[in-house]
Amino acid sequence: MNRLKFNEGGQPVYVDDLETLQENDFGMRKAMLSVMTMGSKAFLLSDVDQERVDNNQVKIGSGTVVIDGMLCPFEGKTLKAKTNESVFLLVKRFETDERVFENGQTKACAETITAALGTETAGAAEAYKLDELETFLDLLTKAIESNRMKGNTDVMFFNGYSGRVKLMKSDDGTDTEMVIDIKSGNINWDGGAQGYKGLLFRIDDEELAVPFRGKGSKKFNYSGTDYRIIVAAEPMGAVVSIELGSGRDNFYEDSYVLPLIPIKATFKASEFTDF
């Protein structure tokens, strides 16, 4: 990082000096935000109001999205979107403020990033699902929790999942917690052998896995559907899977379909029940 020194006596000022002033300020802000948000490229500054008008329309309030450390306000609007359709924040980048220089060349003197709500991603440089963008406070909380956890439990991921998994004793030592924050880059599941549908990961620390073996978690909701996680019992490895919250009545049938959903939750072993 360069720090400008100012001297009396008619110091010349160059374009490089102005660039240093801008980059020092922006670089520091971007670096601090990266640490506080665990490197998130895009996030909301705060929650955005959403109201379902009817089955085909949703009213969304205005807000601010942060992209690569830059604040981009966006206007609220009412969109035609069914309950199961996604609303996106569409990001565009372009150069503006063209000026003619003394050497006769015309150059853009500003870079602009804009964000707008929409249901189609065509023409956007970047697009983010609104319901998957986390807020600054959510990410800051996650960063603090991650620092407290001091590392992940050793696991082997399946079906394109990645992220962090931590099994640890509760603060009072009477319970064991499983913290999961994972998502998959796959479009489809890799496989669906009987008994292995919805594979997420395998816990390699057998001692920590013991309180969860052969049990299922409480239900959690994602996008209007209930799910829960289950942990395989002996003699299988401590394999963690996801299943529908409605139960396992048709678990082995082809009609039993699971989406590749992101999972962000904390589960307590004391709340697990046999399945």
Side-chain angles (χ1 to χ4, degrees), residues 58-75:
V58 60
K59 182 179 180 181
I60 301 173
S62 60
T64 300
V65 61
V66 181
I67 307 289
D68 291 330
M70 294 187 66
L71 277 67
C72 303
F74 58 89
E75 295 182 355

Side-chain angles (χ1 to χ4, degrees), residues 149-239:
M149 287 165 55
K150 297 180 181 178
N152 291 348
T153 299
D154 288 334
V155 301
M156 175 181 285
F157 287 108
F158 305 107
N159 288 300
Y161 274 94
S162 63
R164 65 189 187 106
V165 176
K166 181 68 177 180
L167 280 76
M168 57 188 179
K169 292 291 185 182
S170 59
D171 292 337
D172 60 9
T174 61
D175 207 347
T176 304
E177 295 181 347
M178 182 189 299
V179 182
I180 302 177
D181 187 359
I182 61 175
K183 58 185 176 181
S184 175
N186 283 14
I187 298 175
N188 300 304
W189 295 94
D190 291 337
Q194 286 194 350
Y196 283 90
K197 289 186 177 181
L199 275 180
L200 300 174
F201 56 87
R202 185 190 69 215
I203 303 169
D204 291 334
D205 190 321
E206 283 289 336
E207 184 177 349
L208 284 173
V210 168
F212 302 92
R213 295 296 294 266
K215 298 178 180 179
S217 74
K218 295 175 63 175
K219 297 178 184 178
F220 62 94
N221 189 278
Y222 178 80
S223 194
T225 302
D226 285 334
Y227 301 91
R228 71 170 185 163
I229 63 167
I230 58 174
V231 185
E234 297 286 2
M236 299 167 56
V239 176

Side-chain angles (χ1 to χ4, degrees), residues 17-137:
D17 298 330
L18 300 177
E19 184 176 16
T20 296
L21 289 173
Q22 176 177 264
E23 290 304 315
N24 280 356
D25 176 66
F26 178 72
M28 177 66 73
R29 183 173 71 247
K30 185 177 180 180
M32 291 182 67
L33 284 173
S34 180
V35 172
M36 291 188 288
T37 62
M38 301 185 68
S40 295
K41 177 181 174 63
F43 57 89
L44 295 170
L45 202 57
S46 59
D47 286 322
V48 175
D49 293 332
Q50 297 188 48
E51 179 184 353
R52 174 62 57 179
V53 178
D54 54 40
N55 291 334
N56 297 308
Q57 290 190 96
V58 60
K59 182 179 180 181
I60 301 173
S62 60
T64 300
V65 61
V66 181
I67 307 289
D68 291 330
M70 294 187 66
L71 277 67
C72 303
F74 58 89
E75 295 182 355
K77 61 167 53 175
T78 299
L79 296 170
K80 289 185 177 180
K82 296 180 180 179
T83 304
N84 60 346
E85 290 180 332
S86 297
V87 173
F88 296 89
L89 264 178
L90 310 174
V91 179
K92 293 184 178 181
R93 301 171 184 259
F94 48 91
E95 295 183 337
T96 58
D97 192 14
E98 291 190 345
R99 303 178 189 177
V100 179
F101 285 54
E102 289 185 1
N103 61 8
Q105 295 183 351
T106 300
K107 299 179 182 179
C109 293
E111 180 185 19
T112 301
I113 300 179
T114 63
L117 295 164
T119 55
E120 301 291 337
T121 60
E126 302 161 36
Y128 302 92
K129 288 185 178 181
L130 185 62
D131 60 0
E132 292 184 4
L133 282 174
E134 296 181 89
T135 67
F136 174 72
L137 286 179

